[in-house]
Amino acid sequence: MNQSTAETKMQFLYALRSNGVTNRQVLSAMESVDRTLFVRGVFADRSHEDIPLPIDCGQTISQPSIVGLMTQALHVEPRHKVLEIGTGTGYQAAILSKLARRVYTIDRHHRLVHEARKILTKINLDNITAIHGDGSLGLPEQAPFDRIIVTAAAEDPPSPLLDQLRVGGIMVLPVGRSSTVQDLIQVHKTDEGLKYNELLSVRFVPLLEGIDEGR
Ligand code: SAH
């Protein structure tokens, strides 16, 4: 690794830590997945900055510290089966795959799923299955999930996802009526019902119904 690569990496990890990503497993998962691979074109040069960036299909790759905080709030363990809604570039799925046994990720854009599969295969992350579909319906054939993460904002947690979360499981997602400010929440499913924690204010693209057929 040359000097500037090492320095860029240190700055990336420093930005994560100073924004509250302190869990060692999460930091080392994020250190091991190069975000540059997931960002294309003119923005690739800025892939190590702690900022969201535009991707294909008018979508966004999240700010790394938000990826870290969401991953940290999920408390993923090595035996877990995780569902992600909103594959986008596949970056968040790649981080999860370092921490979990198996990751299923769904996006409504065929093109994003196709591109994400290519990158994930190239870097040998073979415990991820990327699926083209409407993630608000979840993935009933693989339920229940130990953990569910949604990387697009809905007004309320979609009920199929709550149904597909195992008792004892955790779901992390942005919710809100406005497209400008949403709350990131953590939902614990317990024997006594659902418990909600508000984590921070965030801004995500909306969770839309149905799939996009465009290739
Ligand atoms: N996690 C991604 C970023 C997600 S951006 C990454 O790491 O790069 C949000 C994504 O949610 C977009 O790609 C969008 O297409 C997807 N999305 C929105 N509504 C959806 C739905 N109902 N089902 C599946 N994906 C959806």
Side-chain angles (χ1 to χ4, degrees):
M1 191 187 295
N2 65 35
Q3 183 87 38
S4 68
T5 318
E7 211 173 291
T8 309
K9 201 164 188 177
M10 258 172 55
Q11 279 165 0
F12 181 73
L13 291 170
Y14 178 77
L16 294 177
R17 280 200 212 91
S18 49
N19 284 304
V21 184
T22 52
N23 179 285
R24 265 206 286 136
Q25 279 86 9
V26 174
L27 285 168
S28 92
M30 292 189 74
E31 187 175 359
S32 69
V33 177
D34 183 3
R35 190 171 180 247
T36 313
L37 299 173
F38 297 84
V39 181
R40 291 191 305 172
V42 291
F43 297 105
D45 282 354
R46 306 196 65 185
S47 63
H48 285 103
E49 293 180 35
D50 192 25
I51 49 172
L53 291 170
I55 60 171
D56 279 350
C57 305
Q59 305 301 313
T60 314
I61 182 171
S62 309
Q63 184 177 343
S65 57
I66 297 292
V67 171
L69 290 172
M70 289 177 84
T71 309
Q72 193 164 276
L74 268 187
H75 298 284
V76 180
E77 292 172 21
R79 65 190 156 80
H80 282 164
K81 180 161 76 166
V82 181
L83 174 65
E84 179 196 23
I85 311 305
T87 311
T89 61
Y91 179 67
Q92 171 77 75
I95 309 288
L96 292 168
S97 83
K98 299 278 180 183
L99 301 166
R101 178 172 58 82
R102 176 107 228 133
V103 177
Y104 293 88
T105 180
I106 309 180
D107 205 287
R108 61 187 295 281
H109 284 284
H110 180 270
R111 181 150 142 205
L112 292 176
V113 172
H114 181 73
E115 291 301 318
R117 276 188 196 133
K118 281 207 286 199
I119 302 169
L120 297 169
T121 306
K122 189 168 148 196
I123 55 174
N124 297 318
L125 296 178
D126 53 12
N127 61 339
I128 307 176
T129 307
I131 298 160
H132 178 220
D134 181 355
S136 57
L137 307 174
L139 194 61
E141 61 271 32
Q142 291 296 340
F145 295 94
D146 301 292
R147 300 292 186 258
I148 299 179
I149 179 170
V150 188
T151 61
E155 277 193 16
D156 294 300
S159 56
L161 299 183
L162 291 170
D163 293 343
Q164 290 170 33
L165 184 62
R166 188 188 294 286
V167 173
I170 300 175
M171 172 151 102
V172 172
L173 75 164
V175 289
R177 280 174 204 289
S178 139
S179 62
T180 51
V181 184
Q182 304 128 8
D183 290 314
L184 187 66
I185 63 166
Q186 181 193 47
V187 185
H188 284 261
K189 187 167 182 174
T190 71
D191 286 329
E192 289 91 53
L194 299 168
K195 302 210 162 107
Y196 295 85
N197 281 324
E198 269 184 34
L199 304 176
L200 66 152
S201 293
V202 285
R203 185 173 176 180
F204 277 81
V205 297
L207 187 76
L208 300 174
E209 272 180 32
I211 57 169
D212 183 280
E213 296 290 354
R215 311 227 141 188

